[in-house]
Amino acid sequence: MTFILLIMERIQKQHKWALRVLQAMGEGKKTTLEVSAAFFPDMYQKAPDFIFSEVYGQLTYLEKEGYVELTKNEDGVLLWEATRVLAHQS
């Protein structure tokens, strides 16, 4: 039973972390790099591969959960846009 509770706790923490990324996105369509810069303003240039990967993973999770939509612009650049507005999360 405790193993299941641990798994549920980690899923809940993952979800909260993803919602923080969503809040950092703000409004409008953004690239993964733009979201990375908004969420990790002091770190995204120091460890771009790690930060980009982390944010991309959160965005794909949010897409599957229906919080963001992924599109491409005319140049084929992937753009993310929030589809749900959240109240302030703590």
Side-chain angles (χ1 to χ4, degrees), residues 9-81:
E9 180 182 305
R10 289 189 179 175
I11 290 171
Q12 185 178 34
K13 284 182 181 180
Q14 153 57 39
H15 185 75
K16 286 181 180 181
W17 183 251
L19 293 181
R20 289 181 60 207
V21 171
L22 180 63
Q23 284 186 314
M25 284 182 68
E27 295 182 20
K29 295 182 179 187
K30 306 263 185 340
T31 65
T32 305
L33 183 60
E34 290 170 327
V35 178
S36 298
F39 191 64
F40 291 105
D42 297 328
M43 292 182 56
Y44 84 99
Q45 290 183 337
K46 296 175 187 172
D49 294 344
F50 171 74
I51 299 301
F52 188 90
S53 176
E54 172 66 24
V55 170
Y56 184 80
Q58 299 302 329
L59 290 168
T60 57
Y61 168 80
L62 289 166
E63 180 187 26
K64 286 187 178 209
E65 295 296 312
Y67 287 92
V68 299
E69 184 176 275
L70 178 61
T71 59
K72 287 184 183 178
N73 69 11
E74 60 278 354
D75 296 323
V77 176
L78 298 177
L79 298 170
W80 303 92
E81 184 172 23

